[in-house]
Amino acid sequence: MLTGISRRLQPVFGSSRPVLPFTTSGTGGLEVAAGNVIAPGDEVVAVTIGYFGDRFADVAAGFGAAVSRLQVPWGEAAAPDALRRLLRRRRAVKAVLLTHNETATGAVNPLPELAAVVHQESAALLLVDVVSSVGGMPVEVDRHGIDIAVGVTQKALMSPPGLALVAVSDRALRVAAANPGSRWSLDLVRMAESVDAGTTSYTPAVTVLFALDAALAEIESEGLAAVFERHRTLAGRLRAGLANLGVVVRAEPGCRSDTVTAVRIPGPGATAAAVRRRLADHGIAVSAGREDWHADTIRIGHLGWVSEPDIDDLLAALTEIGKDWT
Ligand SMILES: *Cc1c(COP(=O)(O)O)cnc(C)c1O
């Protein structure tokens, strides 16, 4: 089953190598990426468009990297030219860190364009957090020259938490093998060798593998292209409904995610906490905003096992709650 899952994840990640399951959270997966290729003192460029981009940068700094941040205002995507300018001012960048889909803001980065800039302007490894995109939006590890892509089971892959799913290039494995930096149970090369031998380096979250096996069967029977199309259509349906309610989608037009939408609740008649409580009465769970967006923003997940009635039920509930906003 393990070998099957590693292989069946390949089209989901667009990777020609088996995808590696590490028993850890998504953040642990970011630690796999940074810890295996970064040694203390290495120059790293981190493109951050929000909370999770900051976290990836912090993880790299935790492994001793000298991190230069391209900090983009929340709600926006990174501009390829801004990354180009930053890379031209830096020499010997070991790795560039990107977030594909920023779950805190609902903004999605132009991954193909940013990846092209990284490869044009540097020889850096490209490490990408695809935690909240993979399985819901196209991710093309090989095509875009991504060296390490980190996903998880508990988002668009519809399974419980417990596994970070890591796609890796041959180049990243070579760099990892030569890297003296710290890591032990999250060693990339040892895991790649183990998976090639049909096992994992240490005891895996077996129960989660069973769930993922079933989730992949769902995705395969729907068809990956149809899964992506469903996410795109549902995101559009949600935004169209929200436009009628006077709430503000916080990601800029042109970079709005297919998997998560952050919206500002118009005050003063409601707060995000009050809206979340009232949605809970309808049996609907949404997340609060992060950091500065905590008080006035809710985040609606529409990824994985989600369909039109889910979106319509949410819109109907928000319509009722929204009568008190004005
Ligand atoms: C959820 C998430 C993470 C963290 O995953 P955990 O499993 O909670 O550690 C990292 N990056 C992004 C973009 C996420 O959405």
Side-chain angles (χ1 to χ4, degrees):
M1 185 171 68
L2 176 74
T3 301
I5 285 173
S6 299
R7 294 205 178 126
R8 290 157 69 208
L9 284 168
Q10 285 179 228
V12 181
F13 281 78
S15 171
S16 54
R17 285 195 54 84
V19 175
L20 309 176
F22 286 87
T23 295
T24 181
S25 66
T27 306
L30 301 181
E31 199 160 328
V32 169
N36 278 279
V37 299
I38 289 166
D42 283 348
E43 284 248 19
V44 165
V45 166
V47 179
T48 167
I49 66 169
Y51 178 87
F52 288 104
D54 290 346
R55 183 180 295 182
F56 204 0
D58 291 344
V59 170
F63 284 98
V67 181
S68 309
R69 295 179 194 232
L70 176 61
Q71 196 94 43
V72 176
W74 282 38
E76 295 178 19
D81 279 340
L83 178 57
R84 191 185 300 281
R85 284 193 296 276
L86 176 57
L87 287 172
R88 285 187 177 170
R89 292 201 305 269
R90 293 279 179 289
R91 283 166 183 279
V93 174
K94 178 84 164 286
V96 175
L97 316 184
L98 286 178
T99 315
H100 184 199
N101 187 73
E102 175 51 75
T103 320
T105 65
V108 60
N109 263 323
L111 191 48
E113 289 81 1
L114 291 170
V117 165
V118 170
H119 299 311
Q120 284 158 14
E121 303 295 340
S122 77
L125 295 168
L126 176 55
L127 315 185
V128 186
D129 173 342
V130 298
V131 166
S132 63
S133 56
V134 76
M137 290 187 254
V139 171
E140 293 286 351
V141 162
D142 282 4
R143 184 173 306 158
H144 300 134
I146 296 169
D147 291 289
I148 305 182
V150 177
V152 292
T153 43
Q154 79 267 23
K155 294 187 182 173
L157 294 175
M158 305 180 282
S159 303
L163 295 173
L165 305 169
V166 179
V168 65
S169 70
D170 291 328
R171 181 168 78 134
L173 285 175
R174 282 196 301 276
V175 172
N179 176 31
S182 336
R183 74 282 191 185
W184 183 254
S185 69
L186 300 181
D187 189 274
L188 198 55
V189 172
R190 200 178 308 131
M191 182 63 91
E193 287 169 0
S194 299
V195 168
D196 284 346
T199 183
T200 52
S201 27
Y202 304 102
T203 308
V206 174
T207 48
V208 183
L209 287 170
F210 274 90
L212 184 56
D213 191 47
L216 284 170
E218 296 266 342
I219 288 171
E220 286 155 358
S221 79
E222 186 176 354
L224 202 49
V227 169
F228 296 150
E229 182 57 30
R230 173 169 53 83
H231 281 79
R232 204 165 30 244
T233 305
L234 291 178
R237 186 181 186 88
L238 173 64
R239 290 193 294 259
L242 291 171
N244 297 327
L245 289 173
V247 299
V248 179
V249 173
R250 301 217 58 174
E252 298 290 328
C255 67
R256 291 175 172 169
S257 169
D258 292 345
T259 58
V260 57
T261 299
V263 296
R264 187 185 355 223
I265 303 300
T271 61
V275 170
R276 291 180 69 216
R277 263 195 309 277
R278 291 194 53 189
L279 283 174
D281 294 339
H282 292 260
I284 297 171
V286 299
S287 288
R290 294 270 189 180
E291 298 189 349
D292 291 352
W293 289 15
H294 187 74
D296 66 356
T297 297
I298 61 170
R299 293 180 300 139
I300 302 158
H302 35 89
L303 73 178
W305 192 11
V306 58
S307 57
E308 258 179 35
D310 298 316
I311 302 294
D312 294 349
D313 287 352
L314 170 75
L315 288 169
L318 279 177
T319 302
E320 195 189 310
I321 298 166
K323 289 177 187 142
D324 302 331
W325 288 339
T326 43

